Amino acid sequence: MKIFSQVEIMRSLKKPKKICIQGDDGRDYKYLVKAGEDLRQDERVQQLFDLMNGILQKQHQCSRLKARIRTYRIVPLSIKLGLIEFLPNVVPLQQFFMGESLRKEYQTIAMDMFTEGPGKILLKAAGEASSPLNHMTYWRSFQNISPETAARRFSEVVKKIPDHLLRDQLLNCCVSPDVFCFLRQKFTVSLAIMSIANYLLEIGDRHLGNIVLDTKTGEVIGIDFGYAFGASLQYLPIPELMPFRLTKQFVGVVEPVGMHGLLESTMKYCLKAFRDSSYILLNTMDTFIKEPSLNWIVEVRRQIGEGRPLWNDETNLRDLFKWYPEEKISAAARKLRGDNPVIIMQYVS
């Protein structure tokens, strides 16, 4: 084995380093060295995805569609360092169909409509006219604006942004209509499976920088699973309540059939397959309970630090370290059991 001396520093938030390793088989393997995060959770999510792929292969309709979740290797080296397989031919969706200037233009339009005029729904405190929006702005708005007003204003903003930007960019990548139909099918099937997996495992923080597109196959691939098992409800300043990301740009790709064609049917087939094999998935998730990731342990210690009366004695503290991971997995178990998502969301939030 040989590690090449050339190192490339990536531009993302954590500044991971791309390295190249030549294996004993003579092939080159590219990895990202990422520090500052516990990648054991990402590794386990990938293992669950591999298990889900095995389940999908045994389901007739999913097998016919060649449905799969694209996975990649993750090698945790410690609780703060690890290796992530570098995926070739992929680009984050936010870079793929919307350049920096266009994105800023639409962001400006949206923020102006949200914060200015009689229909504004984001309320800043006095003296904050020029300050950036933050979670306190969200909470003030949540307390003072009715859901009906917020929904109406949001719909007005959405209408200002074309719903075919992603579709047009996919078309630009194709040399013929046949190629576009192939890419669209791969895109739709992979989006459906990713959405169901994200729902079951409560994977949040699904902004367009954490969803990449394989420009050769049209498949969408999720990356960065630090906010899994409901973490986006607890750790993010603004909790994520949506089960998965299905915006008008995604729906625009599958038009004219829309959501009720291949996208919906694939979701149904996948969810049924996972529910039929729920015992396999839940037994695998037991690893999270026996060896919780670092951020789960940190959260338990934070709650202990708040001095809640129930957790004052040593016995209750031991129970808490066991209970917290079990509580994380219970939501996935209820979803696999077929409980109403509305009731589950009320329970976990």
Side-chain angles (χ1 to χ4, degrees):
M1 186 180 72
K2 173 185 176 182
I3 301 178
F4 292 95
S5 58
Q6 294 87 353
V7 175
E8 179 182 350
I9 300 177
M10 310 303 288
R11 293 187 296 176
S12 56
L13 181 63
K14 294 290 185 178
K15 303 295 182 185
K17 286 75 177 174
K18 185 170 76 171
I19 63 173
C20 184
I21 303 173
Q22 188 176 72
D24 294 335
D25 57 0
R27 299 173 60 185
D28 292 344
Y29 299 89
K30 295 181 180 179
Y31 282 87
L32 297 177
V33 181
K34 193 171 185 179
E37 291 186 12
D38 184 1
L39 293 181
R40 288 180 298 168
Q41 178 162 294
D42 292 65
E43 179 194 31
R44 291 166 181 172
V45 169
Q46 291 297 313
Q47 291 170 350
L48 284 171
F49 285 170
D50 285 331
L51 187 61
M52 288 177 169
N53 284 337
I55 293 172
L56 293 175
Q57 289 177 3
K58 298 177 182 178
Q59 211 272 356
H60 173 68
Q61 290 91 343
C62 295
S63 177
R64 181 174 55 84
L65 291 170
K66 297 182 179 179
R68 65 166 182 168
I69 305 172
R70 280 283 297 275
T71 59
Y72 48 91
R73 299 182 187 90
I74 295 180
V75 184
L77 301 177
S78 71
I79 60 174
K80 289 292 184 73
L81 182 68
L83 301 177
I84 303 174
E85 180 185 358
F86 181 78
L87 298 174
N89 308 312
V90 301
V91 59
L93 279 179
Q94 68 179 14
Q95 297 178 16
F96 177 72
F97 75 94
M98 189 180 292
E100 185 70 21
S101 59
L102 186 61
R103 183 164 62 251
K104 288 183 177 180
E105 177 185 342
Y106 286 131
Q107 285 176 344
T108 301
I109 293 174
M111 286 300 101
D112 287 346
M113 294 183 67
F114 281 142
T115 59
E116 305 296 336
K120 64 181 179 181
I121 60 174
L122 290 179
L123 305 178
K124 295 184 178 183
E128 287 188 349
S130 60
S131 65
L133 296 174
N134 53 40
H135 66 283
M136 292 306 299
T137 305
Y138 172 85
W139 287 116
R140 278 193 296 270
S141 306
F142 181 81
Q143 293 171 347
N144 292 280
I145 302 297
S146 69
E148 295 77 16
T149 301
R152 183 173 62 253
R153 192 59 167 174
F154 179 78
S155 297
E156 293 171 356
V157 172
V158 167
K159 291 178 181 177
K160 294 288 185 179
I161 302 174
D163 57 5
H164 52 74
L165 298 175
L166 178 55
R167 178 189 178 93
D168 289 350
Q169 192 58 37
L170 282 173
L171 276 169
N172 291 337
C173 294
C174 302
V175 296
S176 69
D178 290 344
V179 174
F180 174 72
C181 289
F182 170 80
L183 286 180
R184 183 173 62 178
Q185 183 195 30
K186 288 291 187 180
F187 179 94
T188 305
V189 172
S190 61
L191 175 63
I193 303 170
M194 183 180 70
S195 299
I196 292 299
N198 288 347
Y199 166 66
L200 292 176
L201 304 182
E202 291 187 283
I203 297 173
D205 198 30
R206 295 299 88 192
H207 57 77
L208 294 182
N210 280 343
I211 303 175
V212 299
L213 176 75
D214 189 319
T215 55
K216 283 193 172 182
T217 66
E219 293 174 297
V220 288
I221 310 165
I223 61 173
D224 193 352
F225 302 103
Y227 290 95
F229 295 98
S232 59
L233 287 170
Q234 292 181 303
Y235 303 133
L236 294 180
I238 300 175
E240 293 184 354
L241 303 179
M242 303 305 294
F244 49 80
R245 188 183 186 102
L246 186 59
T247 62
K248 61 185 293 185
Q249 295 299 329
F250 289 159
V251 176
V253 173
V254 298
E255 294 293 357
V257 178
M259 295 181 292
H260 303 295
L262 181 62
L263 184 66
E264 182 181 287
S265 61
T266 304
M267 285 184 174
K268 290 179 179 178
Y269 296 146
C270 293
L271 187 56
K272 183 180 186 304
F274 295 149
R275 283 179 174 170
D276 290 343
S277 301
S278 60
Y279 65 96
I280 300 176
L281 294 172
L282 292 175
N283 286 338
T284 305
M285 291 181 197
D286 191 54
T287 306
F288 289 80
I289 298 175
K290 294 179 179 177
E291 189 182 351
S293 62
L294 179 62
N295 58 351
W296 290 13
I297 296 174
V298 169
E299 175 62 18
V300 172
R301 288 175 176 168
R302 183 190 67 80
Q303 294 188 21
I304 293 172
E306 293 178 356
R308 301 188 180 184
L310 181 63
W311 303 332
N312 284 340
D313 62 80
E314 186 176 345
T315 302
N316 282 333
L317 290 179
R318 287 197 301 267
D319 291 342
L320 176 60
F321 275 98
K322 180 182 178 182
W323 168 84
Y324 188 77
E326 290 177 346
E327 193 68 14
K328 289 284 190 179
I329 305 303
S330 66
R334 297 183 68 187
K335 291 174 181 178
L336 288 168
R337 194 168 62 224
D339 289 6
N340 190 321
V342 175
I343 303 300
I344 297 174
M345 287 300 297
Q346 291 175 347
Y347 179 75
V348 299
S349 59

